[in-house]
Amino acid sequence: MTFQIDRRTLLVTATLGIGALALPGFAFAAGQIQGFTHSVASGEPCADSVLLWTRYIPADGGPVKLRAEIAETADFSRIVSGGEMITGPWRDHTAKITVTGLEPGRRYHYRFVAPDGSFSPVGRTRTLPEGAVNRFGIAVFSCSNLPFGYFNAYGHAAARDDIDLSVHLGDYLYEYAKGGYAPEGGPIGGRLPEPVGEMIHLADYRIRYASYRSDPDLQALHAAKPMLVQWDDHESANDSWEGGAENHQSDEEGLWSTRRAAAVQAFREWMPVSETPWGSYDIGTLATLFRTESRLLARSHQPDIDPMFQQADVAAALKAFRDGPWQDPAVTMLGSEQENWLSHAMRRSVRDGQKWQVVGFGTIMGETRLPPQAMDWLKPDASKGTRDYVESGVAAGKLGLPLTFDNWGGYPAARARFLRSAQGMGANLVVICGDSHNGWAYDLGQDGKPAGVEFAGHSVTSPGYEHSTATDPKRVAAALVAANPELKWCDTSRRGYMAMTLTPERVSNDWVFVDTVERRSLRASVGHSAVVQRGRNVMAG
């Protein structure tokens, strides 16, 4: 059976902890929650294998052995591969089984079987191809905040036959308490995730995943396509880094290392992911797709320019920062181990003749500065915090500093190392990223030479610039493009996902905008497209 967790059940587990569901006589005796609770998912496909995921709670809440079956037809008349796994409350009853011995570039149906003979919902997945590939479609998502609206982007992509793989670049969920980051009038459509408090402890993270994963459009996407997923900051806490986060106060919320471990454990339990933090995936000879980690394992603390605005000479303080600490080569986004891995893996891809090197990061790499007229964009009732943020961004932009230091703008030496490495190996580089809630297209350059292109995705639901601006979005976009030489196009007001199509000689990217997130709808349209030709490392036109 498939069980949709209701608000009452989540409230109970939020109060007593998810472990309460395993207590003898609690919930299970009454049959309140058992069976396959959250459908199925698949992830990290290779040419001959794929990881399968589900969650199953037996009647007694204890350990259980599940079997995975995979077949080429929906009737499962011939099982071609499978596997078994024991799960239980120690891993929140989730199961991940990597099935092997599959054929490359093949579509499959899969399901799980419980000891009582019951079946999970049937999912569909696909292995990566080998050899020459003429076309491959990827849907790219980020920033899905449940209170801000419906996950229409997921539902729209799930129904497309031209999407072979989905990629989620982070902020799959958000950690905030009720009202902490939500529409001013309250959650749209009553979409309030559980627990109502902030995610801090392991039980909190598990319940929040259970809440999000009950969404029908998210379930549909997972059941229809394999996914590569990586975390950004909100899977742990806002603006997280190796040693802490903006939204973590150790004096109230305990050790950061404990919270970080809880966030990582819940992510690895609930997502169709392996235990490795990064990896590479060959799409035949067409491309190599690189999954990275840029938040919790080695990222240096983000620079903070706010104290400089308390000094007598703000401009002098900003200039000293720009010419000194901002350029520190020890400040890292990925850490030296991952930088070394990524450089070698990309060189291998180029050496092996892969046409494209596609690298997924959590945050934007393209240079983005705020123009002076940005103060005029704000709504009359914009908060003091918003006004201070824009004012400091304008002041920084006048001196060549970026709008935000939480993305690659805060790590210029690390950015330069990555782009110079890509240039030196002759990569055909396509960077994809999320985080900003808005859509962007950049020509990435280093030392006055092209290095690659970047397609930055808008959010599934989280609000963009339109949340605090009253100016026509077209004027905002035009001013941003004029102020930033690397930026070729942007949209600051609409939600959706990116649909990227790879062919041997070109990569095209569509920014797909859903009609609304305020009600459930599968209506969407392409708002902009960009193309890069192989060997150019800049966008056409």
Side-chain angles (χ1 to χ4, degrees), residues 129-137 283 285-286 501-506:
E130 285 185 340
V133 179
N134 292 325
R135 182 198 176 279
F136 195 85
I283 304 171
T285 59
L286 179 61
T501 302
L502 288 75
T503 67
E505 294 304 320
R506 73 176 215 161

Side-chain angles (χ1 to χ4, degrees), residues 25 38 59 79 81 110 151 223 242 244 321-322 342 345 347 359 386 425 440 453 484 490-491 522 537:
H38 285 81
I79 307 299
S81 186
Y110 66 94
F151 293 164
E242 180 184 14
F321 165 73
R322 180 196 63 192
L342 183 56
R347 286 183 183 278
V359 184
T386 297
M425 69 182 69
W440 315 81
V453 302
N484 294 283
C490 68
D491 179 275
L522 296 186
N537 277 331

Side-chain angles (χ1 to χ4, degrees), residues 95-310:
K96 298 187 294 187
I97 299 175
T98 297
V99 296
T100 61
L102 306 179
E103 295 296 321
R106 191 73 58 88
R107 297 184 186 274
Y108 289 96
H109 296 78
Y110 66 94
R111 66 188 180 189
F112 288 82
V113 187
D116 63 3
S118 61
F119 294 105
S120 72
V122 174
R124 291 165 292 152
T125 192
R126 181 176 183 172
T127 52
L128 296 182
E130 285 185 340
V133 179
N134 292 325
R135 182 198 176 279
F136 195 85
I138 302 175
V140 183
F141 305 92
S142 64
C143 306
S144 41
N145 188 325
L146 194 144
F148 274 102
Y150 290 88
F151 293 164
N152 295 327
Y154 293 149
H156 187 271
R160 292 180 59 163
D161 292 331
D162 60 342
I163 298 297
D164 301 299
L165 175 71
S166 59
V167 172
H168 205 295
L169 295 171
D171 296 345
Y172 183 97
L173 45 62
Y174 284 72
E175 82 275 17
Y176 295 102
K178 177 183 178 181
Y181 180 44
E184 294 177 1
I188 292 173
R191 289 167 63 82
L192 178 65
E194 300 293 342
V196 294
E198 184 178 334
M199 296 191 301
I200 298 172
H201 307 292
L202 178 58
D204 303 327
Y205 285 98
R206 285 172 163 176
I207 294 168
R208 188 64 57 86
Y209 276 105
S211 185
Y212 269 68
R213 289 293 299 273
S214 294
D215 181 87
D217 291 306
L218 181 51
Q219 287 191 1
L221 178 66
H222 275 303
K225 319 282 183 186
M227 178 180 283
L228 291 179
V229 58
Q230 59 196 58
W231 61 61
D232 192 34
D233 55 340
H234 290 293
E235 286 87 352
S236 54
N238 183 56
D239 287 359
S240 52
W241 58 286
E242 180 184 14
E246 178 276 333
N247 194 26
H248 180 78
Q249 293 73 46
S250 297
D251 57 339
E252 301 174 7
E253 297 168 340
L255 292 174
W256 169 247
S257 58
T258 302
R259 184 176 184 178
R260 181 180 65 177
V264 170
Q265 179 175 337
F267 177 88
R268 288 177 173 167
E269 289 172 347
W270 278 86
M271 293 290 96
V273 297
S274 63
E275 303 301 298
T276 58
W278 52 74
S280 62
Y281 306 85
D282 287 335
I283 304 171
T285 59
L286 179 61
T288 305
L289 182 57
F290 299 90
R291 174 175 59 89
T292 67
E293 195 288 321
S294 56
R295 274 291 171 190
L296 300 180
L297 303 185
R299 179 198 271 248
S300 303
H301 194 191
Q302 302 92 331
D304 182 10
I305 64 172
D306 287 349
M308 300 174 199
F309 287 86
Q310 308 305 317

